[in-house]
Amino acid sequence: AGSCRKTLFKHGGAFTLGVLISFWVLAALLLVLRASGQSMGWGFQLQEPIFVGALVMVLFLLGLSLLGVFELGTSLSKLGATGHKQKGLTGSFLSGVLATVVATPCTGPLLAPALGFAMALPVAGSIAIFTAMGLGMASPYLLISAFPKLMNKIPKPGPWMVIFKQVMGFFMMATVLWLIWVFQAQMSSPIGLMAMLAA
């Protein structure tokens, strides 16, 4: 805050680079898995009932957290100070890496279709998709560093954030219901569905 626009933009660029490198590392890991013979096509993970059942449970817990039953991720938010302990562009770069790591559990379900699509493409196409996802994540920070007056347009924290979080909880629970429907369609008997619901 208070720095010249050139300095602010350098910090926005360093943050963006941290996000992009994190996405490229993730892409490289997934491409190595694919090259080793793992099936990585679009939606492949939803063909496995065990994965669908586990996803139902994880999203159900995330939904409960969004609805305020308990809080998830508070310990991860404490890591946010890590990047701020470093000064200069290194701190901004590390903040970009940390933002990607901390956001991964939240963005995973939303990025699953793009991830599946990326894994069905040749290597160059996969890298392009991951680059686009990284730029999408970093673009608000980069835009604000380029145009600092945009900060005045961002809504101030307040009670609206709690309401928004709870509304997102209902969307999460709708996803859980859809996944339960997918799971039961894969089961030949109701025992598997009953076991998953009990779990």
Side-chain angles (χ1 to χ4, degrees):
S3 300
C4 70
R5 286 183 65 174
K6 185 177 179 182
T7 303
L8 287 173
F9 192 67
K10 282 182 182 177
H11 282 277
F15 180 92
T16 301
L17 187 61
V19 171
L20 283 174
I21 287 177
S22 300
F23 270 87
W24 291 334
V25 167
L26 178 60
L29 290 172
L30 291 172
L31 289 169
V32 166
L33 281 173
R34 184 178 75 178
S36 69
Q38 301 290 326
S39 174
M40 300 298 286
W42 191 335
F44 76 97
Q45 66 273 27
L46 293 179
Q47 298 168 5
E48 177 57 50
I50 293 172
F51 178 86
V52 175
L55 192 59
V56 165
M57 289 184 255
V58 168
L59 293 184
F60 182 68
L61 288 173
L62 288 173
L64 290 177
S65 175
L66 288 171
L67 292 170
V69 176
F70 56 85
E71 291 295 323
L72 278 178
T74 51
S75 59
L76 285 177
S77 64
K78 292 176 186 172
L79 292 173
T82 304
H84 298 295
K85 290 178 184 174
Q86 293 285 332
K87 298 293 182 194
L89 297 177
T90 303
S92 296
F93 174 84
L94 291 175
S95 291
V97 172
L98 183 66
T100 306
V101 171
V102 171
T104 300
C106 303
T107 58
L110 301 173
L111 293 179
L115 177 66
F117 180 66
M119 289 298 99
L121 295 174
V123 172
S126 296
I127 298 295
I129 296 287
F130 275 87
T131 301
M133 289 191 292
L135 287 173
M137 180 176 169
S139 61
Y141 301 96
L142 193 58
L143 280 171
I144 288 171
S145 69
F147 306 102
K149 291 190 178 187
L150 288 176
M151 281 296 292
N152 298 330
K153 305 286 185 193
I154 296 176
K156 302 291 181 223
W160 70 269
M161 295 171 68
V162 176
I163 295 167
F164 181 77
K165 185 173 93 161
Q166 291 171 346
V167 169
M168 292 297 106
F170 284 104
F171 283 114
M172 190 69 74
M173 291 306 184
T175 304
V176 167
L177 290 174
W178 175 76
L179 284 171
I180 289 171
W181 176 78
V182 170
F183 184 86
Q184 67 87 25
Q186 295 171 337
M187 293 287 101
S188 56
S189 76
I191 296 173
L193 179 62
M194 289 168 49
M196 189 270 293
L197 291 174

